[in-house]
Coordinates of all heavy atoms in Angstrom, one line a residue:
L4 N 107.4 27.5 28.7 CA 107.4 27.1 30.1 C 106.0 26.7 30.5 O 105.0 27.1 29.9 CB 107.8 28.3 31.0 CG 109.2 28.8 30.8 CD1 109.4 30.0 31.8 CD2 110.3 27.8 31.1
N10 N 106.9 28.0 39.9 CA 106.6 27.6 41.3 C 107.4 28.4 42.3 O 106.9 28.8 43.3 CB 106.8 26.1 41.5 CG 105.6 25.3 41.2 OD1 104.5 25.9 41.0 ND2 105.8 24.0 41.1
P27 N 100.9 46.6 53.2 CA 100.2 47.1 52.0 C 100.3 46.2 50.8 O 101.4 45.6 50.6 CB 100.8 48.5 51.7 CG 101.6 48.8 53.0 CD 101.9 47.5 53.6
D47 N 103.1 55.4 43.9 CA 102.8 56.5 44.8 C 102.7 56.0 46.2 O 101.9 56.5 47.0 CB 101.5 57.1 44.3 CG 101.6 57.9 43.0 OD1 102.7 58.5 42.8 OD2 100.6 58.0 42.3
H68 N 118.4 54.4 44.4 CA 117.6 55.6 44.2 C 117.8 56.1 42.7 O 119.0 56.2 42.3 CB 117.9 56.7 45.2 CG 117.1 58.0 44.9 ND1 117.7 58.9 44.0 CD2 115.9 58.4 45.2 CE1 116.8 59.9 44.0 NE2 115.8 59.6 44.7
A87 N 113.2 32.6 45.7 CA 112.8 33.5 44.6 C 113.7 34.7 44.6 O 114.1 35.2 45.7 CB 111.4 33.8 44.7
A104 N 108.9 76.3 40.5 CA 110.1 75.9 39.7 C 110.3 74.4 39.9 O 110.2 73.9 41.0 CB 111.3 76.7 40.1

Side-chain angles (χ1 to χ4, degrees):
L4 295 180
N10 275 346
D47 289 326
H68 173 271

